Amino acid sequence: MARFEFRQFAIDDNGCGMKICSDSVLLGAWFAASYPEASSAADIGAGSGVLALMVAQLCPHATITALELDEGAARAASMNFAASPFADRLRLQQGNFADYVPASPFDLIISNPPYFTTGEQAADKARAAARHQAGLSYASLMNTCSRWLASDGHIGLVSPAEFENDIIFEAELAGLKLRRLLRVRTSPRKQPTRLLWDFSPTDGPLLEACLDMRGRDGLPTAEYTRIVDSFYTKI
């Protein structure tokens, strides 16, 4: 049983196809910290519920709806929510996100969608479903978010760097405007491997930046530490 202790909550990802990863933690910390006054949020493809819990911590007024298709992952997320100090603001909805109809638009939507569109699927069915874009594609995600978001709402995503053009294209088709883009490198010597995205139905200035997770000395950089320090007990 894998249990991860964060500063204000814990995650048990037993039964989840995809385990806790630095992508999700960095996305949750970077995205949600900019919108502390949000009153509602959705986590699409919630897995163990880590992103929903991070939003709950950083947005103290928000009610968060977590949507998860896989039964095992939904069970894990439900238990993690119940054990957290934010239980009264977290709701788990099991089923296909495409079938869900929100009662009102969300201020925030966050998702770490599956990103392997080619290649041999993992032997474990839950892991394969979590990592392949069978239903939760960038196109379906953008189209859904364009319907679910409030006019001044925001969607936060993480993706591999090589999908940059595809995601911009799908966002434009859905009428979403890119507001922030963070290019993430593991070190200054490397090319960016991940992109953190912030889209909104409302146009505005575009802020682009690059983040090195580790410096040339191999240690976590000050900026990376600043972003994730509210969650990690040890970096």
Side-chain angles (χ1 to χ4, degrees):
M1 184 175 293
R3 182 179 172 85
F4 297 84
E5 298 287 343
F6 292 90
R7 289 191 184 274
Q8 295 190 30
F9 59 86
I11 291 288
D12 182 346
D13 62 10
N14 186 46
C16 298
M18 284 303 295
K19 304 303 182 182
I20 291 286
C21 65
S22 59
D23 287 358
S24 286
V25 177
L26 185 57
L27 170 63
W30 173 81
F31 177 70
S34 294
Y35 309 107
E37 299 304 317
S39 61
S40 62
D43 176 7
I44 300 180
S48 62
V50 63
L51 286 174
L53 284 159
M54 294 180 79
V55 173
Q57 178 178 325
L58 292 176
C59 305
H61 310 294
T63 297
I64 300 97
T65 301
L67 298 108
E68 175 55 49
L69 178 62
D70 180 75
E71 182 179 355
R75 187 182 307 113
S78 182
M79 290 189 295
N80 291 329
F81 293 169
S84 78
F86 321 115
D88 61 333
R89 295 190 286 115
L90 291 157
R91 302 169 183 170
L92 192 286
Q93 182 77 30
Q94 186 187 346
N96 192 325
F97 79 99
D99 299 328
Y100 179 74
V101 179
S104 58
F106 292 108
D107 294 332
L108 303 178
I109 298 176
I110 193 168
S111 181
N112 178 4
Y115 52 80
F116 288 104
T117 57
T118 60
E120 183 180 354
Q121 292 201 12
D124 181 82
K125 289 183 179 180
R127 183 174 176 82
R131 298 190 70 154
H132 282 259
Q133 292 186 14
L136 187 53
S137 66
Y138 293 119
S140 63
L141 192 57
M142 294 297 185
N143 287 327
T144 296
C145 290
S146 68
R147 300 193 309 269
W148 289 7
L149 274 175
S151 60
D152 58 349
H154 291 262
I155 170 177
L157 304 172
V158 58
S159 78
E162 60 264 31
F163 290 170
E164 179 173 354
N165 291 335
D166 295 335
I167 291 174
I168 290 175
F169 177 73
E170 296 297 348
E172 288 179 347
L173 287 180
L176 295 170
K177 313 299 182 182
L178 180 58
R179 301 294 300 274
R180 290 192 295 157
L181 176 60
L182 184 65
R183 303 177 190 278
V184 182
R185 304 187 297 192
T186 54
S187 76
R189 300 181 179 88
K190 303 291 183 65
Q191 292 296 313
T193 57
R194 292 289 182 267
L195 302 175
L196 302 188
W197 303 86
D198 182 341
F199 291 98
S200 176
T202 302
D203 207 354
L206 170 59
L207 302 177
E208 295 188 62
C210 185
L211 172 69
D212 293 327
M213 296 177 69
R214 294 185 179 274
R216 295 184 182 278
D217 56 6
L219 298 175
T221 63
E223 180 63 7
Y224 174 68
T225 300
R226 182 192 67 79
I227 293 173
V228 300
D229 187 59
S230 296
F231 296 98
Y232 284 131
T233 57
K234 182 178 180 181
I235 301 173

